[in-house]
Amino acid sequence: MTRLQPNPATGETPTRAAARAAQRRRRSLILLGLVILLVVALVVVIGVVFARGAADEPEQNPGAVGACLPESLRITADPAVADAVAELAAGLGADCPKAAITTEDSAATAEALATGANPEFDIWVPDSAMWPARATGQAERTGVDAAELAVGGTLASTPVVFATTEPTAAVLEAADAGFSSFAQRSVAVVLPDPATVAASSSALLALQTALNGDARTFTALALALDPAVAPTTTAALDAVSAATTPTVAVTTEQAVQQYDEDSTTKLVPVYPADVKPAVSIPLVTAADASDDTVAAAEALTAAADDADDVLVAHGLRNAAGNPPATATGDAETTIAAPEQADSANQAEVLRTWQVLTAPSRMLSLNDVSGSMLQQATPDMRRVDLFEQAAVRAINSLSTDSSLAVWVFSSRRIGGQDWQEVVPFGSLGDPVHKQLTIDTANGLDSLVGGGTGLYDSVLAAVKYMRDTYVPGQVNLVLLNTDGVNEDDDGLDLPGLLAELEKLRDPAKPVAVIAIGYGPDTDQSALEQIAAATDGAAYQALQPTDIGTVLIDAVTQRGCRPSCG
């Protein structure tokens, strides 16, 4: 009997072959489903990762290799470094827009910031880190609410050198000349104006260091350098080129290279043998600068680290002070750029220089009491010696200084102990200068009476405070040979109390007191000087008078820290 295979479509039980085929189909469908699920999960995970990465990544990262600086970024650079900055910015990417760079002398930018002006830059590239330190220091001293600055990485540096002709350079190098050699004055020195040229403030700090901080010697050298100050670096180098005697200009390695490229007269750099200063070129931003600005500054710093060839092409060294590969002789020496603290010291020595070299406004307050007629030597009285010394002191002052002469004894005009005999006038005026000299030579004709010291000192200080002239060294030069003899006026504690009331750091009026002979109340003079941040001298011997008076006049600017 033959059995027929039932038809599965009829719902009857399938055969074994059909069952196995159905089972295979089910397994294939399950496997396909799993594969699809895995693919979908993978796509989702990758999408999340990319989404998170896109969210974390800024729209533009100037710090990344090949990235461009923000088009809105404002860069202000000193003319000496502007071209180098532009080339570094251009090297960040071939398709980057050209960076907009405003050139402005660093001194002008610093001065504006010190007065409280808002920064007109996102990144400032001065030719020295001294300038932001100076801007901050000036603002603090004057109480100005100025923008807080952040000094970032160092872009480049350049050593401070002596620029001179080849014959002079050979002599200086053979003698191992350095900043301490200035004291020997064997060569003329031209200094570009420290108020506008950073290399000069760096050189002044090096000079101070070479002299071991000797304030007196530094002051004397600073005053000797002042007449030869040139307004610009180029003017200083021109003066060296035209000099007929051995002369050097204090400048930078970069400035010498640029001068030689532009001039028919070639100068060579001499590297100081003792102190080896340099100027560092930093990137400065506002303390609250945006992240993009900070990143842009970091990008420029990184670009400079990898572009020694660009720096060398502009006469600069890298941040470490390494010499170019082509350097020979002393130029092969690595000269490290100063630390930020050194930049602050440069700013401070610049302020010292400006005080030292500022025009003097001096009121000479001279004792003409009867004791000045006493014999100091067999053939000269005290007043005679003072007259000679006074004339020398007048001749030591610069022509942009001004001088007035008062005398005092007791009750010269009614109950007043003091008297004006020469009003203030410029020593650049030959008529006024001759009048002061003639008056000094004729002080003996005014001698008489007791010593009305304390009231006269207070009157002189009050007058100088009331007529104070900013930008000048306002001081009273007190010359006396005795003690206060005015019982109707102030006593010493009363005078010191009044001087304390008049004290104003913004308008300082120092009393430089000189006591002549053994009868002087030197203790009182020292207290008067201390109360005004001045100084007190004593000339015990007749021959000391001239030396002491000249020293008092020339040390006027470093008081009270001349040493």
Side-chain angles (χ1 to χ4, degrees), residues 48-61:
V48 169
V49 170
F50 274 100
R52 288 179 178 175
D56 292 339
E57 184 178 347
E59 294 181 4
Q60 186 178 38
N61 179 14

Side-chain angles (χ1 to χ4, degrees), residues 73-97:
L73 189 72
R74 300 171 301 166
I75 301 176
T76 295
D78 188 272
V81 297
D83 288 345
V85 174
E87 191 166 342
L88 290 172
L92 290 175
D95 298 326
C96 291

Side-chain angles (χ1 to χ4, degrees), residues 98-115:
K98 187 176 181 180
I101 298 177
T102 300
T103 59
E104 183 176 62
D105 288 338
S106 299
T109 309
E111 186 64 29
L113 292 169
T115 60

Side-chain angles (χ1 to χ4, degrees), residues 319-361:
N322 297 325
T326 56
T328 59
D330 290 343
E332 293 181 276
T333 304
T334 294
I335 300 176
E339 300 292 334
Q340 191 164 340
D342 290 331
S343 300
N345 290 336
Q346 287 179 25
E348 184 59 27
V349 80
L350 171 56
R351 190 170 77 91
T352 299
W353 160 271
Q354 291 180 316
V355 171
L356 289 175
T357 58
S360 290
R361 184 171 179 268

Side-chain angles (χ1 to χ4, degrees), residues 296 304 311 417 487:
L311 300 179
D417 295 335
D487 295 332

Side-chain angles (χ1 to χ4, degrees), residues 499-517:
L499 291 177
E500 182 62 32
K501 293 177 184 177
L502 290 172
R503 183 193 291 267
D504 182 355
K507 295 181 178 181
V509 176
V511 174
I512 308 291
I514 305 175
Y516 298 106

